[in-house]
Amino acid sequence: MDRMMNELHHHGKTIEEIKQVLRRIPIHPRVIPAIKAAHALGCELRIVSDANTLFIETIIEHLGIREFFSEINTNPGVVDDQGRLIISPYHDFTKSPHGCTRCPPNMCKGLIIERIQASLTKEGKEMKMIYLGDGAGDYCPSLGLKAEDYMMPRKNFPVWDLIRQNLMLVKATVRDWTDGEAMEKILMEIINEIISSEDEEEKEKMLSSDICKISVGIAHEPMVPLALQVPLNLVK
């Protein structure tokens, strides 16, 4: 991609022309509502993509969804003084190779997910993760998901094929999807399942506590679900 951007620059294509093309990329009409609904339900949304910062930020700002993502993990894309887009690898393999044999040298998404998981553990947050992906590069992180997590591979795409070869290697619950409409439906089902299970756990904790035994007699309002944060990655 870096070489391609250099070639486009030599042919006189400007950054604004590239952005105009990015803004014209079609997106399924149910994707944006799904992102907004997940965020409204308390999900923390993160992007892990083998694209680059200029491409991703241009698209999500154009779609009006930048504010819904807490983190973007991708290859750095910087415009130099000559107006050419320079794309650098996320992992600088010339100085410090990531060492993963499953992933391309510039990015191991599995290592990114490991870092996110470690940061959540350090912060003392017990949260479930939902990972959406379609490419071969999404297979490595799927292997690092925990049993309580969810993997959403796009059906008939590379990551789906790799997972199907040995389902036992993926500890997370696997729910495949085909298009934006199916993605939204399945994503909402998973989030509601997580909220319901967390709500039940909270009820059990309250019923087993002395404080609850004292107050239960005067509690007339239905229990309001606690705010839930579910780290979520939307790829592509």
Side-chain angles (χ1 to χ4, degrees):
M1 287 301 297
D2 182 61
R3 290 195 297 270
M4 179 60 71
M5 291 301 104
N6 185 49
E7 191 71 16
L8 288 175
H9 177 69
H10 284 312
H11 281 75
K13 299 299 179 180
T14 66
I15 294 299
E16 184 54 37
E17 287 178 303
I18 293 172
K19 288 183 177 181
Q20 287 175 5
V21 173
L22 294 171
R23 297 180 187 119
R24 292 199 300 268
I25 295 175
I27 185 170
H28 194 284
R30 299 313 308 166
V31 171
I32 295 177
I35 291 172
K36 292 181 177 180
H39 186 271
L41 287 169
C43 296
E44 181 180 352
L45 311 182
R46 306 175 189 233
I47 294 175
V48 181
S49 173
D50 198 3
N52 64 80
T53 52
L54 186 135
F55 281 22
I56 291 177
E57 290 177 357
T58 298
I59 291 172
I60 62 178
E61 286 174 5
H62 172 67
L63 296 175
I65 54 176
R66 177 64 182 88
E67 64 185 289
F68 300 111
F69 296 97
S70 64
E71 184 176 305
I72 299 175
N73 301 276
T74 188
N75 301 295
V78 179
V79 180
D80 66 11
D81 295 338
Q82 304 301 316
R84 180 215 166 192
L85 177 60
I86 306 293
I87 302 176
S88 306
Y90 181 87
H91 297 295
D92 190 348
F93 52 85
T94 61
K95 296 180 179 178
S96 180
H98 56 63
C100 176
T101 57
R102 297 188 186 93
C103 297
N106 66 294
M107 174 178 281
C108 173
K109 293 182 180 180
L111 288 177
I112 297 173
I113 294 301
E114 285 182 15
R115 176 188 55 77
I116 294 173
Q117 290 170 330
S119 68
L120 294 175
T121 300
K122 187 176 180 180
E123 295 172 9
K125 297 179 179 179
E126 295 182 4
M127 293 192 285
K128 295 178 176 64
M129 184 176 291
I130 307 172
Y131 190 103
L132 291 87
D134 56 16
D138 297 309
Y139 180 62
C140 180
S142 73
L143 299 177
L145 297 177
K146 301 175 183 178
E148 61 268 25
D149 297 330
Y150 293 82
M151 177 62 193
M152 288 181 60
R154 189 170 185 180
K155 193 172 182 179
N156 297 322
F157 277 69
V159 68
W160 184 77
D161 292 331
L162 290 168
I163 290 175
R164 279 205 315 157
Q165 291 175 15
N166 194 338
L167 283 170
M168 299 302 293
L169 293 179
V170 180
K171 300 182 184 69
T173 300
V174 178
R175 302 271 183 88
D176 58 35
W177 52 284
T178 52
D179 57 21
E181 185 174 354
M183 183 273 289
E184 179 187 34
K185 178 177 179 294
I186 294 168
L187 178 61
M188 291 302 107
E189 288 176 354
I190 292 174
I191 294 174
N192 286 322
E193 285 177 14
I194 294 173
I195 291 176
S196 296
S197 65
E198 293 287 335
D199 204 22
E200 287 301 318
E201 290 178 9
E202 190 62 29
K203 287 180 181 179
E204 291 177 5
K205 289 179 182 178
M206 291 184 69
L207 290 173
S208 64
S209 68
D210 291 336
I211 295 176
C212 180
K213 290 175 183 177
I214 294 172
S215 63
V216 70
I218 59 173
H220 301 292
E221 295 291 330
M223 183 176 291
V224 179
L226 297 176
L228 175 70
Q229 284 194 327
V230 186
L232 175 64
N233 173 58
L234 297 180
V235 179
K236 307 294 185 294

